[in-house]
């Protein structure tokens, strides 16, 4: 198992705290906004009913599966059977780890992005899989180049992981790119896993496309949804997987041996969040857009050339002043200034030379963070 970047950063943050530095922690993508009030109201009511306090077996999850199916239909005109094609998750990260266990055997190969969300590396190790890296390069807009995957490698791969809007690079993918991924996976019979927690973290007119809405998508792909980012409910641990029936059913069997689903009241809260007007979801995303504008503008005015992302809750940029060691930079920065960023290397070898800002503080704090960074430099 690779060492977690967050534990390394945590030690640096602890040192800053002991020096009584005021922390500006932009290292973790945990939203600072509250969950929707409608969701909290439903949850409060549910906790008062003792009949919600017991185990929640599969049939209890039907209302949430139904709500997810209706939302997918409204949003992307996708028709899924909530019984066969959708399963609720205790967060998309849980679903991802168990999905790998469900659809692979130890020793199988998995195509995974580098840089990528750290859990991809960890869950691959837990499942005893061999990871075949798909480099996400700046010159390719941080999209994998499928033509660079040798056909022998593709023939031996059991699953492919992609995720757009992307963490950490903040890159987005077009539906044409998703179609390319689907066609590639169909031709080699590879399960396509599209990790999609940032579906609603979109700016301006940008809409994130779903693999399930593309021709062939439902045949070969599973898409992972989460309430953590769309509805600022990361602590409540709730999401769902939708897509290929066999993969979803295999995941259900693995989960059946491991968990009894999320608390019913939290599922009800998720339904309330899903059913809130889309304008409310996008209003929260617009706050992140304002933060993005302020941060990128302040960085660029200070001479740090940073691209303007269209989605996600991150800004991903090269280290300043030709620096090359992202751990060295972020650890020393945290210890000396209290500003905490995520080192690019923590997301994989190809992330070295970059740093990630999570837009989880108000604009004033972002401006203050940039000021401290330049004083430090
Ligand atoms: C790409 C990606 N996938 C999954 C997760 C975890 O989501 P959840 O809270 O639904 O487990 C995150 C959280 O930051 C993420 O960035």
């Amino acid at each position: 198992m690779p060492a977690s970047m967050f534990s390394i950063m945590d030690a640096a943050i602890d040192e800053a705290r002991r020096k009584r530095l005021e922390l500006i922690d932009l290292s973790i993508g945990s939203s600072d906004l509250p969950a929707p009030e409608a969701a909290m109201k439903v949850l409060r009511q549910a906790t008062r009913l003792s009949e919600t306090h017991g185990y929640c077996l599969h049939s209890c999850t039907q209302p949430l599966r139904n709500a997810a199916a209706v939302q997918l239909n409204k949003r992307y005109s996708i028709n899924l059977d909530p019984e066969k094609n959708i399963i609720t998750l205790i967060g998309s990260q849980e679903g991802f780890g168990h999905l790998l266990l469900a659809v692979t055997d130890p020793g199988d190969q998995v195509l995974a992005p580098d840089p990528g969300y750290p859990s991809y590396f960890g869950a691959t190790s837990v499942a005893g899989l061999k990871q075949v890296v798909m480099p996400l390069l700046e010159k390719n807009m941080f999209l994998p180049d499928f033509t660079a995957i040798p056909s022998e490698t593709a023939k031996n791969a059991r699953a492919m992981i992609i995720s757009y809007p992307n963490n950490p690079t903040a890159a987005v993918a077009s539906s044409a790119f998703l179609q390319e991924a689907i066609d590639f996976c169909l031709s080699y019979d590879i399960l396509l896993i599209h990790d999609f927690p940032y579906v609603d973290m979109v700016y301006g007119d940008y809409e994130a496309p779903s693999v399930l809405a593309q021709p062939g998508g439902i045949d070969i792909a599973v898409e992972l949804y989460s309430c953590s980012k769309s509805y600022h409910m990361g602590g409540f641990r709730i999401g769902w997987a939708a897509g290929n029936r066999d993969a979803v059913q295999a995941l259900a069997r693995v989960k059946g041996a491991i968990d009894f689903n999320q608390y019913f009241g939290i599922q009800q809260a998720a339904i309330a969040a899903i059913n809130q007007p889309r304008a409310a979801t996008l209003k929260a995303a617009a706050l992140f857009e304002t933060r993005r504008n302020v941060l990128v503008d302040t960085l660029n005015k200070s001479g740090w050339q940073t691209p303007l992302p269209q989605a996600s809750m991150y800004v991903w940029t090269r280290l300043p002043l030709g620096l090359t060691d992202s751990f060295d930079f972020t650890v020393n920065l945290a210890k000396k200034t209290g500003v905490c960023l995520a080192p690019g290397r923590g997301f994989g070898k190809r992330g070295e030379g970059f740093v990630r800002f999570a837009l989880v503080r108000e604009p004033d704090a972002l401006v203050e963070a940039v000021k401290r960074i330049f004083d430090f430099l």
Side-chain angles (χ1 to χ4, degrees):
M1 293 281 293
S4 157
M5 113 179 90
F6 295 114
S7 53
I8 295 169
M9 287 312 298
D10 192 45
I13 292 170
D14 196 44
E15 185 170 326
R17 215 179 269 124
R18 274 188 277 114
K19 286 185 190 157
R20 297 189 185 285
L21 293 172
E22 185 221 346
L23 292 182
I24 304 179
D25 188 354
L26 310 177
S27 65
I28 295 192
S30 182
S31 174
D32 57 328
L33 302 189
E37 181 45 34
M40 292 306 93
K41 194 170 157 201
V42 166
L43 177 56
R44 280 193 293 270
Q45 281 164 354
T47 59
R48 289 187 203 114
L49 302 173
S50 60
E51 61 267 32
T52 70
H53 296 180
Y55 289 128
C56 180
L57 299 180
H58 180 70
S59 58
C60 271
T61 68
Q62 193 182 10
L64 177 53
R65 286 184 280 115
N66 287 347
V70 169
Q71 189 197 41
L72 279 170
N73 183 267
K74 267 199 208 152
R75 182 97 179 265
Y76 293 112
S77 306
I78 302 167
N79 285 317
L80 291 179
D81 179 346
E83 198 48 52
K84 301 193 173 103
N85 300 103
I86 300 180
I87 182 170
T88 59
L89 305 174
I90 306 179
S92 58
Q93 179 161 307
E94 172 275 311
F96 174 74
H98 287 144
L99 180 60
L100 282 189
L101 287 172
V103 299
T104 62
D105 291 313
D108 280 348
Q109 294 191 2
V110 169
L111 293 158
D114 179 355
Y117 182 55
S119 165
Y120 302 156
F121 303 102
T124 305
S125 305
V126 169
L129 305 173
K130 290 193 201 114
Q131 191 170 102
V132 180
V133 160
M134 299 189 294
L136 304 188
L137 306 178
E138 197 173 19
K139 66 174 181 157
N140 296 336
M141 320 279 273
F142 300 110
L143 297 168
D145 176 2
F146 300 125
T147 63
I149 302 172
S151 66
E152 268 318 295
T153 306
K155 274 184 207 153
N156 289 323
R158 190 58 73 86
M160 174 192 283
I161 306 156
I162 59 169
S163 181
Y164 293 95
N166 186 257
N167 176 15
T169 68
V172 294
S174 64
S175 41
F177 167 82
L178 295 184
Q179 191 61 54
E180 226 188 293
I182 289 166
D183 293 343
F184 184 88
C185 289
L186 277 170
S187 62
Y188 289 102
D189 195 20
I190 297 170
L191 179 72
L192 179 62
I193 303 173
H194 185 216
D195 192 16
F196 205 24
Y198 298 98
V199 49
D200 293 306
M201 274 286 175
V202 290
Y203 310 143
D205 294 335
Y206 179 74
E207 285 282 352
S210 157
V211 286
L212 303 180
Q214 300 297 125
I218 297 172
D219 299 328
I220 203 72
V222 170
E223 203 153 60
L224 302 174
Y225 288 85
S226 170
C227 290
S228 300
K229 317 292 174 179
S230 296
Y231 310 116
H232 315 280
M233 293 172 65
F236 294 97
R237 315 307 304 131
I238 185 82
W240 54 94
N244 175 275
R245 193 174 98 171
D246 292 342
V248 166
Q249 293 309 312
L251 174 56
R253 284 196 291 280
V254 168
K255 280 174 63 64
I258 291 171
D259 70 62
F260 278 117
N261 301 304
Q262 183 49 275
Y263 167 53
F264 184 73
I266 290 180
Q267 294 184 43
Q268 293 288 302
I271 295 170
I274 290 173
N275 289 336
Q276 77 172 353
R278 177 131 171 89
T281 308
L282 292 178
K283 196 168 157 201
L287 286 177
F288 284 83
E289 182 173 355
T290 303
R291 296 171 180 188
R292 170 206 68 168
N293 292 342
V294 168
L295 178 65
V296 172
D297 192 47
T298 314
L299 287 171
N300 285 343
K301 277 194 184 131
S302 314
W304 188 340
Q305 287 182 1
T306 299
L308 198 67
Q310 279 180 281
S312 84
M313 54 197 288
Y314 306 107
V315 167
W316 175 253
T317 183
R318 283 197 176 276
L319 292 173
L321 303 179
L323 296 177
T324 52
D325 188 326
S326 58
F327 265 110
D328 197 47
F329 172 66
T330 52
V331 166
N332 284 320
L333 180 72
K335 285 182 184 170
K336 295 202 174 123
T337 70
V339 174
C340 311
L341 307 177
R345 176 77 179 82
F347 300 94
K349 225 164 53 187
R350 302 302 192 301
E352 187 53 292
F354 288 85
V355 65
R356 189 196 75 177
F357 293 77
L359 298 167
V360 293
R361 294 285 302 270
E362 293 297 336
D364 287 358
L366 299 175
V367 171
E368 169 64 17
V370 176
K371 181 182 170 301
R372 287 195 215 166
I373 292 170
F374 277 92
D375 289 348
F376 166 77
L377 287 168

